[in-house]
Amino acid sequence: MDDLEKAIVISFDESGAVDSVLKSQAVAFVQQIKETPSVCSICIEKLCFCKLVQVQFWCLQCLHEVLRAKYLSMMPGEKSFIRKSVFGMACYESLNANDTNCVRLLDGPAFIKNKLAQVVVTLIYFEYPLIWPSVFVDFLPNLSKGAAVIDMFSRVLNALDDELISLDYPRTGDELAVAGRIKDAMRAQCVPQIVGAWYDIVLMYRNSDPELCASVLDSMRRYISWIDIGLIVNDAFTHLLFELMLVDGLPDQLRAAAAGVVLAVVSKRMDPKPKLALLQSLQMNRVFRLVARDGDSELVSSVASLLTGYATEVLECSNSLSLEDGKGVSLELLNEVLTSVFYVMQNCEVDSAFSIVQFLSVYVGTMKGLSTLTETQLLHVGQILEVIRAQIQFDPMYRSNLDVLDKIGREEEDRMVEFRKDLFVLLRNIGRVAPDVTQMFIRNSLASAVSSSEDRNVEEVEAALSLFYELGESLSDDAMRNGSGLLQELVPMLLSTKFPCHSNRLVALVYLDTINRYMKFVLENTQYIPMALCAFLDERGIHHPNANVSRRASYLFMRGVKLLKAKLVPYIETILQSLQDTVAQFTKMDSVSKEFSGSEDGSHVFEAIGLLIGMEDVPLEKQSDYLSAMLTPLCRQVEVALVNAKSQNHEGSLAHIGNIQQIIVAINALSKGFSQKLVITSRPAIGLMFKQTLDILLEILVVFPKIESLRCKVTSFIHRMVETLGTSVFPYLPKALEHLLTESEPKELVGFLVLLNQLICKFGVGVHDILEEVYPIIASRVFNILPNNDILSGPGSCTEEIRELQELQRTFFIFLNVIATHNLSSVFLSPKSGGSLELMMQFLLHACCNHKDILIRKACIQIFVRLIKDWGTDPNGEEKVPGFRSFIVGAFATNCCLYSVLDKSFEFRDANTLVLFGEIVMAQKVMYEKFGNLFLLHFVSKGFSNIHCPQDLAEQYCQKLQENDIKALKSFYQSLIEKLRLQQNGSLVFR
């Protein structure tokens, strides 16, 4: 080996045995050689005499790179030398006929031959057809040298397709132009000869070298899309291709390659009429039997792709042609192939390029609008339903993962949910075009699932139930209620069935969801109510051993109760008796789980009970008994826990917290079934029971003042009682608010403000006295917690602490807005609040002008507008609030209504910003109405003059402001601001 060969071998070493410094030196050396002017000659010499594959690969790669980068600057003689040398290597020629040691690259490994093909294609890119027009014609006589050259020719054609012609890869405009030039030249010059060579090779080598024939057919497949189809679709070649596919004994690889060529033929883009003639001439029914072989073989996979591709093309022709042009023929061909296609869909690995759902959806679409379906179409509908059922079934290998829902099970469930979406859309479309067939299929699926063994039928049952569930999407409300078609049989069958595999989580969940979907049928057919109740209440539902299923059943049962309402009154005692153990279990500490802390936490059982016993249809005496039976033991548990907590140490009292939380959640859910009208007006005795309960639960705030989770739960119950008890809740509010105000953390204050907002929105000025007491304390704490300037935002500022501050700020702004807009602004002026008024005004002003949340800015401007209306002037024209008028005119008007909108960050193209701008214009109108010329004089003479507003525009503004057209004022003011921005060139911010 010379130095270059040694350096190349070292640079390719991946064993780790070579010293890293030496390897770096080798890499640098070969790179230096690559930069020399004579590198192409060096490479060709090495390719003639060096047998090291590393050197051969480096030289070919170097030739490829140099040609791509420097071809246009090469001398003609150098180009000719490279062309002759490379072509000679590709044709198995020795460049030095007298040297017996000359290396032949075609005897080397596949990756060397592929790299040589890439170099040939690079020359074709630059030289064909103008400089080297004979490349393909010259190649053809050399094919007689045997398999090595034939194989090389196929590799060159494949590389040409990969590098230039195939549109499976993104191409530049230049590459597309070169590809067009090459294809045009080949079509005019040599394509018929190449096709003839393909035919002769396959005919000659099919028995002696089937692997070579398969590679030739693979090359041929790539070229069919752009060559004359008549060269392939003729008696000789078509006969040969089908013979290769159909004759047993030939290797699967060769037969599959022939199927690939025929697929390329049927997929060729053509006008519908000649395309149909081509498809008809192929007599494709000859290959249908081949898919019934071993489903995993290469041949079956290729024939499956051929049949699905053929069916797609026939269907496309059918949709494009009229009856006169051959639509009937296309339908015959389609009906002929569909049975095999359905078999392929269920039993074979389908080509990823073929979308089962898309094909079937198009086919089902052909049936829309038909008054009746033919027997063949009905048969195909049944087969499509079989395909859907097979496709939506879970793989049994994931059964245990899905049942316990571990990481693998969760991923598989998510994948199948996504995968099934389009299949279920297809099912619903079939349900609309062939409702009777669809319902009968689902009935038979359910019946089959019921009768099969427990071990075998988990996935089958789940699929059958899922089909029935999805069918409900295609049914109208009337059809659902009246039980059209087979629903009269299907729903009772569903309700009465206990599947052998009902303990499985997936089966149990889809079973309950399906019952819930068809509850409207039960609503109209009340004789099935007992069956529906049993399904929800027994081991299929709430008493299912899997906690996920049990809690889902609780939620769905509550929804069923909401729907059936008064029709369930006769069953209340049965229901309550059945739920006794569930109710007791819910409030036990060991039933508390973070896993169920979301919407389906099990509390829906109590909400369902509340809805049942909270109806006016229930007699008062029974209602009192039912409610007392629920509330008394729950309240007793709280009282005992509170007494024990007072007498125990800290650790002992913490043990009761989980139980108390669950009890509050339960009582809260229970109360949702009772309306304010019932508990206050018609049955005050019921209201008294809830008042007593509230009194007991408020004691929790006394005993556990620092436990955030308990405070949140009690606050939530107060929210509920505000809605349920109405003004009757007032006597309990001072105690509640006093204890809730003991904590000053941002999160706690947010919850408190939300409660006050509810009280204000519900009772308005009725809460004036309460608000007058608590507002000064709240304002003081908020202003101490929140910074004077903006809260940090953006990257690196999303800590929990900052998020809590942002939420407190946002909620406090809403709180101030709610006070102002509910005629309670006098609260801000009370003696106790006096110290915080100035802080509040500056706080609001800063937010009006600078807050990044446009909706917050809008809310703050609304506060100012309301305060201007309330505090502007009294009937005698005097100030109600000393200094307020000068603050509004001097600070708010210019900073918020002028300077903030001049800022380029105020984006008029944003919809929310336009709404904010409307509020700003409204504020100007209100200021003029309340303060008259005082506002106008200051705003125009000082504000406008500071920004050098032209006099004529200022006068127009005054005129528009004094008119009564707010839309015209807004339009003019936007135009004015945009003109002033241009004048200032975006450089102005007076703040």
Side-chain angles (χ1 to χ4, degrees), residues 656-954:
H656 301 289
I657 291 172
N659 296 63
I660 295 173
Q661 279 184 212
Q662 291 293 89
I663 291 167
I664 301 170
V665 168
I667 295 173
N668 202 351
L670 184 74
S671 68
K672 291 179 183 179
F674 293 84
S675 68
Q676 182 177 323
K677 178 187 171 190
L678 182 135
V679 300
I680 298 302
T681 310
S682 59
R683 296 181 180 178
I686 300 296
L688 180 60
M689 294 169 76
F690 279 114
K691 291 175 191 175
Q692 291 167 344
T693 303
L694 176 59
D695 209 23
I696 292 167
L697 296 189
L698 288 178
E699 191 64 23
I700 295 168
L701 298 176
V702 179
V703 178
F704 296 103
K706 301 286 186 182
I707 307 299
E708 182 191 342
S709 59
L710 282 179
R711 292 165 62 83
C712 287
K713 292 288 188 293
V714 173
T715 303
S716 178
F717 185 63
I718 296 169
H719 278 292
R720 171 52 48 196
M721 288 300 98
V722 168
E723 297 301 321
T724 305
L725 296 175
T727 53
S728 301
V729 82
F730 274 29
Y732 302 91
L733 289 177
K735 177 182 178 181
L737 298 178
E738 177 192 346
H739 290 294
L740 289 173
L741 259 178
T742 56
E743 286 298 310
S744 300
E745 293 300 316
K747 202 170 177 181
E748 300 274 276
L749 278 173
V750 167
F752 189 75
L753 291 172
V754 171
L755 176 60
L756 288 176
N757 284 345
Q758 182 196 17
L759 291 169
I760 296 168
C761 291
K762 186 163 182 70
F763 304 118
V765 293
V767 294
H768 178 275
D769 294 345
I770 293 171
L771 205 56
E772 202 168 61
E773 290 295 321
V774 297
Y775 172 75
I777 304 168
I778 294 168
S780 171
R781 291 185 184 175
V782 169
F783 291 134
N784 280 331
I785 291 171
L786 293 178
N788 293 329
N789 49 11
D790 295 327
I791 299 170
L792 289 174
S793 62
S797 63
C798 289
T799 64
E800 187 63 30
E801 182 183 355
I802 287 175
R803 278 195 293 268
E804 287 183 2
L805 288 177
Q806 289 170 337
E807 183 61 18
L808 174 60
Q809 186 195 64
R810 189 186 71 84
T811 310
F812 186 60
F813 281 131
I814 294 171
F815 172 60
L816 296 176
N817 183 279
V818 171
I819 291 175
T821 55
H822 284 79
N823 300 311
L824 287 164
S825 62
S826 58
V827 168
F828 299 136
L829 303 177
S830 71
K832 293 179 182 178
S833 305
S836 61
L837 181 60
E838 175 66 22
L839 275 173
M840 182 189 82
M841 300 300 276
Q842 293 296 341
F843 188 62
L844 289 170
L845 178 61
H846 183 79
C848 281
C849 301
N850 304 291
H851 205 287
K852 289 182 170 55
D853 187 335
I854 296 295
L855 299 179
I856 292 295
R857 288 171 73 169
K858 173 188 164 189
C860 293
I861 291 169
Q862 287 173 340
I863 294 169
F864 273 122
V865 168
R866 193 56 194 244
L867 295 182
I868 293 166
K869 289 179 178 178
D870 289 353
W871 301 349
T873 52
D874 63 17
N876 300 319
E878 297 180 6
E879 278 195 284
K880 288 183 180 179
V881 182
F884 175 72
R885 183 166 55 194
S886 59
F887 173 82
I888 292 296
V889 171
F892 170 73
T894 50
N895 284 291
C896 176
C897 300
L898 184 57
Y899 298 152
S900 78
V901 293
L902 276 171
D903 195 298
K904 61 183 179 181
S905 65
F906 197 95
E907 181 54 76
F908 282 110
R909 287 174 294 184
D910 176 67
N912 284 331
T913 305
L914 268 182
V915 174
L916 171 65
F917 185 70
E919 296 290 342
I920 289 171
V921 172
M922 177 58 72
Q924 295 170 56
K925 190 74 175 169
V926 173
M927 284 187 284
Y928 176 70
E929 289 169 357
K930 284 293 182 180
F931 304 135
N933 289 331
L934 177 68
F935 159 70
L936 208 54
L937 185 66
H938 193 281
F939 193 64
V940 173
S941 63
K942 292 190 178 178
F944 279 16
S945 62
N946 281 349
I947 58 171
H948 312 296
C949 176
Q951 184 65 32
D952 61 321
L953 291 178

Side-chain angles (χ1 to χ4, degrees), residues 79 193 212 462 733:
K79 294 176 186 176
Q193 294 95 306
L212 177 68
E462 194 281 335
L733 289 177

Side-chain angles (χ1 to χ4, degrees), residues 183-363:
K183 288 192 291 185
D184 288 344
M186 288 181 71
R187 277 189 287 247
Q189 181 200 42
C190 58
V191 165
Q193 294 95 306
I194 292 172
V195 173
W198 284 333
Y199 179 81
D200 292 339
I201 291 165
V202 175
L203 201 60
M204 182 183 300
Y205 287 92
R206 61 179 170 176
N207 293 315
S208 60
D209 197 343
E211 190 175 338
L212 177 68
C213 289
S215 69
V216 168
L217 290 171
D218 183 58
S219 293
M220 179 179 168
R221 171 187 59 79
R222 295 163 174 254
Y223 283 72
I224 285 173
S225 64
W226 58 270
I227 66 175
D228 178 8
I229 196 65
L231 296 170
I232 310 296
V233 182
N234 52 56
D235 291 344
F237 222 140
T238 304
H239 175 76
L240 176 60
L241 290 170
F242 275 86
E243 186 180 330
L244 292 174
M245 278 194 287
L246 294 170
V247 173
D248 291 330
L250 289 174
D252 273 7
Q253 182 187 5
L254 176 56
R255 300 174 75 182
V261 174
V262 179
L263 174 59
V265 169
V266 302
S267 302
K268 188 173 175 70
R269 297 291 86 200
M270 297 169 66
D271 289 335
K273 206 169 179 179
K275 179 63 168 283
L276 180 61
L278 183 151
L279 296 173
Q280 190 177 13
S281 71
L282 292 175
Q283 301 174 45
M284 197 64 73
N285 55 6
R286 292 179 281 174
V287 301
F288 291 172
R289 63 178 176 81
L290 295 179
V291 292
R293 290 165 39 111
D294 174 20
D296 293 330
S297 75
E298 185 179 356
L299 172 62
V300 170
S301 179
S302 292
V303 173
S305 297
L306 170 57
L307 293 181
T308 53
Y310 171 78
T312 302
E313 297 297 327
V314 172
L315 180 58
E316 194 172 305
C317 286
S318 174
N319 286 336
S320 304
L321 293 170
S322 64
L323 284 171
E324 298 77 28
D325 291 331
K327 190 182 187 74
V329 173
S330 63
L331 287 174
E332 285 177 19
L333 295 179
L334 186 61
N335 290 334
E336 188 179 56
V337 73
L338 275 176
T339 300
S340 295
V341 171
F342 295 141
Y343 178 87
V344 165
M345 290 174 180
Q346 294 181 76
N347 298 284
C348 305
E349 191 71 34
V350 179
D351 187 344
S352 59
F354 174 72
S355 168
I356 290 176
V357 177
Q358 185 177 350
F359 173 78
L360 294 178
S361 297
V362 173
Y363 177 65

Side-chain angles (χ1 to χ4, degrees), residues 425-477:
V425 171
L426 174 61
L427 172 72
R428 293 194 289 271
N429 287 337
I430 295 170
R432 292 183 182 101
V433 299
D436 295 341
V437 175
T438 307
Q439 291 183 26
M440 180 58 75
F441 178 82
I442 290 171
R443 180 209 168 281
N444 294 339
S445 297
L446 284 172
S448 171
V450 172
S451 61
S452 56
S453 65
E454 178 178 358
D455 182 55
R456 188 174 69 83
N457 80 335
V458 169
E459 291 74 30
E460 186 185 336
V461 170
E462 194 281 335
L465 288 168
S466 295
L467 290 174
F468 191 25
Y469 174 84
E470 291 297 331
L471 177 68
E473 279 282 302
S474 63
L475 299 176
S476 66
D477 267 5

Side-chain angles (χ1 to χ4, degrees), residues 94-106:
S94 171
L95 299 189
N96 188 342
N98 299 321
D99 195 331
T100 56
N101 294 320
C102 192
V103 172
R104 297 179 189 269
L105 295 185
L106 299 197

Side-chain angles (χ1 to χ4, degrees), residues 377-397:
Q377 287 173 322
L378 291 172
L379 174 66
H380 289 161
V381 165
Q383 291 173 313
I384 294 171
L385 291 168
E386 291 278 4
V387 170
I388 294 172
R389 183 174 62 185
Q391 290 278 319
I392 68 168
Q393 285 191 25
F394 282 89
D395 190 328
M397 71 178 285

